[in-house]
Amino acid sequence: MNTRMRAFALAVPLALTVLTGCGMTDDKSDGIPFAGTSTSLDAADTMEKVSSGIYDLVGVKGKTSENSPGVMDCSGKDTNTYFRIFHPWAFTPASASDLDKAMERLRAELPKHGWKIVEYGPNTSKNKNVTLTADNDKKKVSAKVTNMAKNDPPKLSLFLLSGCYKVPHGKEVERF
């Protein structure tokens, strides 16, 4: 378990670097779009719905991890007023032979559902895992999907990240 936590701790900053540099931008100078006004809990519920929509597009049988969304700061903004939601999770197909099929299905189906694929191909890891990065400008969410075929068991690793939300007047950012 300790190894998994260290791997997650290393993966989050990398994913954030990749995802914040994507095309999911408004006219903001920091490149992070404004996602609207919301409480942290409502924004997390919205992110779970976005993740569920991606799961529905996978199109093969399997199971998902039970990770919940979390809250993080918006770089350069007031941490009491602005926040982002991240949601890491994994999909393990019932059959390892379905892993590539799931990835290709996402590559084909995401654009049909408002996502723009901004990057696709092998990453710089030792295993050269195929990675897909997609932005949904309407939902102000970016997703990074990595085909981890050499893991035991093979799986898709998914990391979703929202734009910056602002809490409603009189509310505070809840951290979880």
Side-chain angles (χ1 to χ4, degrees), residues 138-173:
K138 183 177 179 183
K139 296 178 187 211
K140 304 298 185 213
V141 175
S142 188
K144 181 175 182 178
V145 183
T146 304
N147 182 335
M148 304 183 83
K150 295 183 180 179
N151 273 39
D152 186 20
K155 64 182 175 183
L156 295 181
S157 172
L158 297 97
F159 188 88
L160 281 72
L161 183 63
S162 75
C164 284
Y165 284 97
K166 180 179 181 180
V167 291
H169 182 71
K171 299 283 185 175
E172 294 181 6
V173 176

Side-chain angles (χ1 to χ4, degrees), residues 83-128:
F83 66 95
R84 297 176 86 178
I85 299 292
F86 66 93
H87 190 202
W89 56 283
F91 173 78
T92 305
S95 170
S97 63
D98 284 340
L99 188 65
D100 289 336
K101 183 191 292 185
M103 188 72 161
E104 283 303 316
R105 216 172 121 68
L106 284 175
R107 185 178 184 193
E109 293 297 318
L110 283 169
K112 296 175 186 175
H113 293 85
W115 294 85
K116 178 182 177 187
I117 296 180
V118 295
E119 186 177 357
Y120 185 84
N123 63 18
T124 58
S125 72
K126 177 181 160 185
N127 291 334
K128 302 290 184 206

